[in-house]
Amino acid sequence: MFDRIARRYDLMNDLMSGGVHRWWKRRLVALAGTPAHPGAKALDLAGGTGDVARLLEARGWDVSVCDPSDGMMDVGRARTRATSRITWVSGVAEELPFPDASVDLVTISFGLRNTTDREAALREAVRVLRPGGRFLCLEFSTPHPLVRGLYDLYSATVIPELARLFSRDPEAYRYLTRSIRVFPDQEGLRLMMLKAGFAEVQVRNLFFGIAALHSGLRPVPGLTKDPVS
Ligand SMILES: C[S@@+](CC[C@H](N)C(=O)[O-])C[C@H]1O[C@@H](n2cnc3c(N)ncnc32)[C@H](O)[C@@H]1O
């Protein structure tokens, strides 16, 4: 599906969110901060067309994008300057082609929802992180009841209309609204992260909870608070 929508993916994101997704991604990258040492490695899972990867690279991270859609990564490569050192790796989050404890930061933006086995994807993120390394997940979440009605109306009317007018694959955008509805809420994802083995899990709501940023650390024995079992 992502191969089919790749060429218009960024345009549709800008139209559907009024550009707000760019601000959310900048928030994610601000939380990642600058790398603690030269050559620190960041892995952007489900990295698609590389928005987050380019922002991380600009902050000094040595970035790999991992995504199963060559169509999305081809668009990303074409949008990335020739001198970029981003590496593009074909693979799924549930079975990462990276060694244990080999990266300092794992990010995933609007990608966890699309994995078929979220628990496996979270466990894999823990595995590839070095102890003390950070995981950051930006994803749609459950909005505050005050904005819920307006948000549901927008999803049911404006998004299908934008998809009809601008996308060659409106079914993909029906999938989008369905997948958001069945994704765990803020607390549900927090508990999944703890169960997968992350410590010090924190949640930040964006735009009244329309999206949320979850962060967690691969535990360092004796230093980070232990995850619950
Ligand atoms: C909604 S796009 C997000 C792209 C980008 N991260 C962003 O924020 O714009 C979802 C991405 O997840 C990828 N994807 C789907 N299934 C996946 C999986 N099992 N593991 C990793 N990525 C996956 C898709 O190919 C697609 O590029």
Side-chain angles (χ1 to χ4, degrees):
M1 183 186 83
F2 283 98
D3 278 347
R4 289 201 308 272
I5 64 171
R7 283 191 50 220
R8 296 210 168 175
Y9 173 79
D10 291 321
L11 170 71
M12 281 299 292
N13 267 357
D14 282 337
L15 290 171
M16 288 185 306
S17 73
V20 169
H21 74 106
R22 293 179 187 275
W23 181 78
W24 288 341
K25 288 169 183 168
R26 281 198 294 273
R27 281 288 304 274
L28 178 151
V29 172
L31 277 183
T34 45
H37 55 88
K41 291 189 175 11
L43 170 59
D44 186 36
L45 300 179
T49 58
D51 280 5
V52 169
R54 283 185 292 273
L55 293 171
L56 287 170
E57 186 181 38
R59 286 208 160 220
W61 292 93
D62 185 348
V63 191
S64 300
V65 168
C66 181
D67 196 293
S69 165
D70 289 326
M72 292 287 277
M73 291 196 291
D74 285 346
V75 171
R77 278 192 205 95
R79 295 204 175 137
T80 304
R81 61 190 164 77
T83 54
S84 165
R85 294 179 59 236
I86 295 173
T87 54
W88 304 80
V89 180
S90 192
V92 291
E94 296 90 333
E95 213 171 324
L96 290 173
F98 293 86
D100 295 359
S102 58
V103 301
D104 303 278
L105 170 72
V106 173
T107 54
I108 183 164
S109 152
F110 302 113
L112 191 59
R113 199 170 20 92
N114 299 297
T115 59
T116 43
D117 185 344
R118 285 167 202 144
E119 292 179 356
L122 292 172
R123 283 196 303 271
E124 277 290 88
V126 175
R127 179 184 69 75
V128 300
L129 274 170
R130 294 189 213 286
R134 182 177 294 270
F135 173 74
L136 291 168
C137 172
L138 170 61
E139 190 49 272
F140 289 110
S141 201
T142 300
H144 190 280
L146 273 178
V147 298
R148 185 78 211 220
L150 202 60
Y151 177 72
D152 286 345
L153 186 68
Y154 183 83
S155 304
T157 56
V158 180
I159 289 182
E161 193 54 20
L162 288 172
R164 193 182 65 76
L165 289 172
F166 297 101
S167 166
R168 299 207 176 98
D169 192 345
E171 174 52 34
Y173 290 88
R174 277 192 282 279
Y175 160 79
L176 169 75
T177 44
R178 271 199 312 271
S179 66
I180 294 172
R181 228 176 292 129
V182 297
F183 191 71
D185 65 6
Q186 287 82 342
E187 179 62 6
L189 179 53
R190 192 183 76 85
L191 292 174
M192 279 175 71
M193 284 177 60
L194 288 168
K195 194 168 167 217
F198 286 106
E200 301 188 13
V201 177
Q202 292 181 9
V203 189
R204 292 164 180 83
N205 279 318
L206 303 172
F207 268 52
F208 302 97
I210 287 174
L213 255 167
H214 284 68
S215 74
L217 301 179
R218 176 168 176 173
V220 182
L223 277 184
T224 41
K225 281 190 232 140
D226 288 339
V228 295
S229 54

